Amino acid sequence: MITKEYLGASSIAGPLMVVEGVEGIGYEELVEIKSKDRFTLGKVLEVSGDKAVVQLFESPQGLDPQSLRIHFTGKSLRLGVSLEMLGRVLDGLGRPRDGGAPPLAEEFIDINGRPINPFSRDYPNEFIETGISSIDGLNVLVRGQKLPVFSGSGMPHMRIAAQIVRQAKVLKSGESFAVIFAGMGITFEEANFLIKDFEASGAMERTTVFLNLANEPVIERIAIPRVALTLAEYLAFTHDYHVLVILADMTNYCEALREVSAARKEIPGRRGYPGYMYTDLSTIYERAGRIHGKTGSITQIPILTMPEDDRTHPIPDLTGYITEGQIFLSRALHRKGIYPPMDVLPSLSRLMTKGIGPGKTREDHSDLSNQLFSAYARGREARELAIILGEGALLDVDKKFLRFADVFENRFLRQGEYESRSVIETLEKGWQILSLLPVEELKRVRKEFITKYLDKYFSQAGDVQEDSIL
Amino acid sequence: MIKGKIAKVSGPLVIANNMSGVQMFEIVRVGEKELFGEVIETKGDLASIQVYEETEGLKVGEEVISTGNSLSVELGPGIMGGIYDGIQRPLKALRDLQGDFISRGISVSALDTNKKWLFQAIAKQGDQLTSGDFLGFVQETHLVKHYIMIPPGLSGKILEIKEGEFTINENVATLKDSEGVEHHICMMQKYPVRIGRPFVDKLQPNEPLITGQRVFDAMFPIFKGGTACIPGPFGSGKTVMQHQLARWSDADIIIYVGCGERGNEMTEVLIDFPELKDPRSGRPLMERTVLIANTSNMPVAARETSVFTGIAIAEYFRDMGYNVAMMADSTSRWAEAMREVSGRLEEMPGEEGYPAYLGSRIASFYERAGKVKTVGNPGRTATLSVIGAVSPPGGDLSDPVVQATLREVRVFWGLDARLAFARHFPSINWLISYSLYSHEFEKYFEKGELKGFNNLRKWALKVLEEESELQEIVRLVGMDALSPNDRLTLEVARSIREDFLQQNSYHEIDTYTSLSKQFLMLKVISTFEETARMAVQKEVEIESILELPLKESISRMKEVKETDLQKLEILTVNVKEMIAGLIGGRA
Ligand SMILES: Nc1ncnc2c1ncn2[C@@H]1O[C@H](COP(=O)(O)OP(=O)(O)OP(=O)(O)O)[C@@H](O)[C@H]1O
Ligand SMILES: Nc1ncnc2c1ncn2[C@@H]1O[C@H](COP(=O)(O)OP(=O)(O)O)[C@@H](O)[C@H]1O
Ligand SMILES: [Mg+2]
Ligand SMILES: [Mg+2]
């Protein structure tokens, strides 16, 4: 293939560079830009007549448009991938950040990936035990799922992510696991905390970190999730790894996207984010999954901070429309000192029904979690009423639900950062707390399960109430 | 054939010059890879083309070639049970050719061209036939008799008709039109997706589409040939309800369009449907289902057409005389695809950046639903029901897509995040939802075994309405302020909500409820109200009514098997007797 080199760009504005007088340039092809002392990359965003609009992947600072040597490579941006990348800390384009030598590539792969044919997908249904009750009991994570954490600034989402990485296991042996962490615009402390935690638990040797810190150029965040997922696909579908990909913070990614869109003067969608953000995000999130006939899998936990804790903000909103559920963190619970401060009611795992039940967790799991959800919802309603009218105004049965909600938050949700509960422990805890409620109110559980799992706690119901922390 | 050259590439939009003479909506092949595209605007010698495949690597100057055809579906035996992308390429064949990831520039026939089907003739030599007339049929699956019809626009005398095993491209009949031209007819026909198939007459829907979902059938029914929308925020249950409709509704043919949604949701259908049995025939559901899957990460322009591809297939089966139901999940993604292409065309945006023609596009889609007298002989009536999910940002119903849809559809099932959070599913908000078929409902249940269904429906809706007013009062002054009668209303409303409306799609029995069972369930609750109200009048304490061991039996009605419905009749009697016992006890 003939590649083309031009001298000088006609303009650089923000993350965009315009090159004129070009010929035979392909849409989305990779561009190498050389200045006196730098070498940067970009991609073609639009070609029109003899003009190409190029989006830079790195900061344009210090680039003089006239003196640039611009090389159109005729290829799209590829990542050199290899098993050697495990244990390394790399930048947004896969270059070392840890002082080590560049990893030798075994293969070069287009970072944009290609959509998995829906006919080839295998349905995710293998339970992952995270050891965290609010996840394993109520919002189960399964292999091949994309389950984001919707958080807010100052909340412990990174600590939860680290706990999941430390504790997650599947009830099978002889499989290879890997973790890929893509940090976009996160602080040095956050990145450092995670890397230290991975090192301490021994996870680092099967982990690759791709990093762009908060003080580094925003546009370098655009390629990171795709670079990370390209390695993930290679590990999962070429080398049979079960890969857990953590993307944090997707809010910073979306902001970079908005910056490029604004520079192109595109008509904005809601709150200035581009109208194609849904499609763009889906080409990241849909790269999770399992494929028929392949052993490996890609499970994604994107983390995002909701600007002003606003759930209807386009970033959490569009994410929730693509991912297979979401875990909300609650500032109110966090203030009460409850860790993990999972906001149970709006949280959801859409793949839960397929990942639980006899042979996977236990037969009563589905009924029990439905019951816990609806009882907690009723308890919260009672709490709201009690705030306005005083507890005295509640019916006796509603007082019981209120009490249930308190105990549920303190005994079921609250958990130590280094405490790992087996799923059976979690389920038993759930039944134990349900014993606070009159049995005729437990409409969501089958009768036989009440006899089998609940009756034994009835005599002890008093105990639950006494030693609970209220 | 017109040959132009690419002048500009921006996302899914390509502008080509030297294209004068090309038709609007004509299919063109773009670039060296011969990607599929459709002309969506012409201006002088420029044509704007939406490309159905990834445009990465396309260069200015590459060739664009017109095909003379507009985007069409291939219709014929072999379509049932298939899964297609937005432009009707079979995903199984794409997998076999390209592997697990979709790549570009492949044209595959939508239908298997090698398979032989047993064609049985209905028409005879010498018959004078017009378009829509049955020529013969193929028993495509156990559930579907696939009629071979004279294609639209053709009529004449049958010179020859065959019988036996043929592929879809082999001649099964020869027809001579009034000008003496002979036409060879095969089992496959093509039809443009953007044009509705002709029909003789539109009729008023007068039969309910029975879905087995209590909140639909008993509260907000849709009728065969009707239109409905399900708007709601993410996680509120749009997809689960669409899947339930595809599984259980009593249509003959299901067309399910996954438009810009999750890949795994299509996989779920693909894995479940071959195993699930149609409650009426006991056959695998896949035998009556066609899937169109253009997931969110597949090309945007093909997402826009996927909805039309689906409805074109649906109309074809309607014309055979079937009751067809089509689900589109989600129409918002379809509208967004239009918005994206419109934005790249630099058209003047309307509300929220959507093109100004959003409303008319949505209207022209839902207009294709209906109960019709089809063209062709033997005369037949058939229905096409359309149910669209809508995904407004933040669940906000003022969204332009929701608003434009509400102007078109007759049934509104409004989902509510608060109900979903409490795991009250289906999270249909009974206060905002409506069905404009309530008059038809009343008429339909005027006689027959379920006589009185309409009164139960009206009663239940009234109790729920009263509940919401009473709750206002409780929120201000507490429960104590309520009279025993009002307390009873709240209890009855809770029972309607929890014991009737709530329905777990994943429970083996609860997932489907026949109309007879729905009727009996409502009957039990209304009998409870009636007798309890009498008891309260006679100054029986409401607590003592609630303490009766009835509450649990009522809440377990859902678990009663369809074969045990007499249990519900017995329960009605028990309810009466137990409460009457309280009155007696006092006397
Ligand atoms: N320059 C523009 N040209 C055309 N349309 C625009 C322009 N700016 C905004 N719009 C349209 O107006 C809509 C409202 O924009 P605005 O920034 O007010 O959103 P918002 O009020 O923050 O969002 P929402 O109320 O939906 O949460 C946008 O969705 C966009 O489609
Ligand atoms: N009728 C139902 N019965 C039980 N669970 C349901 C029902 N409807 C929805 N759900 C639950 O809600 C989740 C989200 O539903 P889904 O239809 O995927 O939402 P949406 O399409 O509106 O985003 C499902 O994964 C399931 O757990
Ligand atoms: Mg607005
Ligand atoms: Mg959905």
Side-chain angles (χ1 to χ4, degrees), chain A residues 374 377-379 381-382 385 395 397-398 401 440-441 443-444, chain B residues 424 430 460 463-464 467 471 479 486-502 525 528 546 551 554-555 558:
Chain A
S374 71
R378 193 157 163 199
E381 266 171 43
L385 211 57
L395 295 177
V397 52
D398 286 328
F401 275 99
E440 68 272 12
E441 294 294 340
K443 296 180 177 182
R444 303 297 185 92
Chain B
H424 173 114
W430 47 89
V463 173
L464 291 169
E467 180 195 34
Q471 271 168 348
M479 204 61 126
D486 290 344
R487 283 279 314 278
L488 181 63
T489 304
L490 287 185
E491 285 300 327
V492 172
R494 181 187 289 282
S495 180
I496 295 173
R497 284 191 280 116
E498 295 183 355
D499 306 329
F500 185 78
L501 293 183
Q502 236 172 56
I525 305 175
F528 175 86
L546 297 180
K551 225 169 154 182
I554 293 178
S555 72
K558 297 173 183 173

Side-chain angles (χ1 to χ4, degrees), chain B residues 315-448:
Chain B
E315 284 179 338
Y316 172 67
F317 282 103
R318 175 204 69 190
D319 279 1
M320 293 180 204
Y322 288 119
N323 292 311
V324 183
M326 167 169 161
M327 289 99 214
D329 183 15
S330 158
T331 58
S332 291
R333 306 300 163 219
W334 168 58
E336 284 162 10
M338 278 189 258
R339 175 170 70 183
E340 180 165 345
V341 174
S342 157
R344 306 244 185 203
L345 280 172
E346 293 171 12
E347 289 174 340
M348 182 73 147
E351 235 181 312
E352 297 283 336
Y354 284 103
Y357 47 78
L358 175 75
S360 59
R361 282 287 172 87
I362 289 178
S364 70
F365 165 65
Y366 283 104
E367 275 304 307
R368 288 169 77 169
K371 177 170 184 142
V372 300
K373 182 171 172 0
T374 68
V375 294
N377 290 305
R380 47 204 184 257
T381 58
T383 62
L384 169 50
S385 315
V386 174
I387 298 129
V390 194
S391 320
D396 177 2
L397 296 178
S398 67
D399 164 65
V401 184
V402 175
Q403 287 304 316
T405 305
L406 285 180
R407 281 195 286 277
E408 292 309 314
V409 299
R410 309 258 305 156
V411 180
F412 166 55
W413 295 318
L415 299 180
D416 187 327
R418 279 207 331 273
L419 292 171
F421 292 172
R423 299 325 190 242
H424 173 114
F425 288 118
S427 67
I428 310 277
N429 181 328
W430 47 89
L431 297 175
I432 61 170
S433 301
Y434 59 79
S435 164
L436 299 182
Y437 295 110
S438 43
H439 180 65
E440 286 81 358
F441 188 91
E442 185 175 347
K443 263 180 78 180
Y444 189 82
F445 290 106
E446 253 168 13
K447 44 187 182 295

Side-chain angles (χ1 to χ4, degrees), chain A residues 6 9 67 139 267 291 297 352 372 387 439:
Chain A
Y6 298 89
S67 68
N139 290 295
I267 297 169
I291 291 179
S297 63
M352 173 151 172
L372 288 171
I387 289 170
V439 69

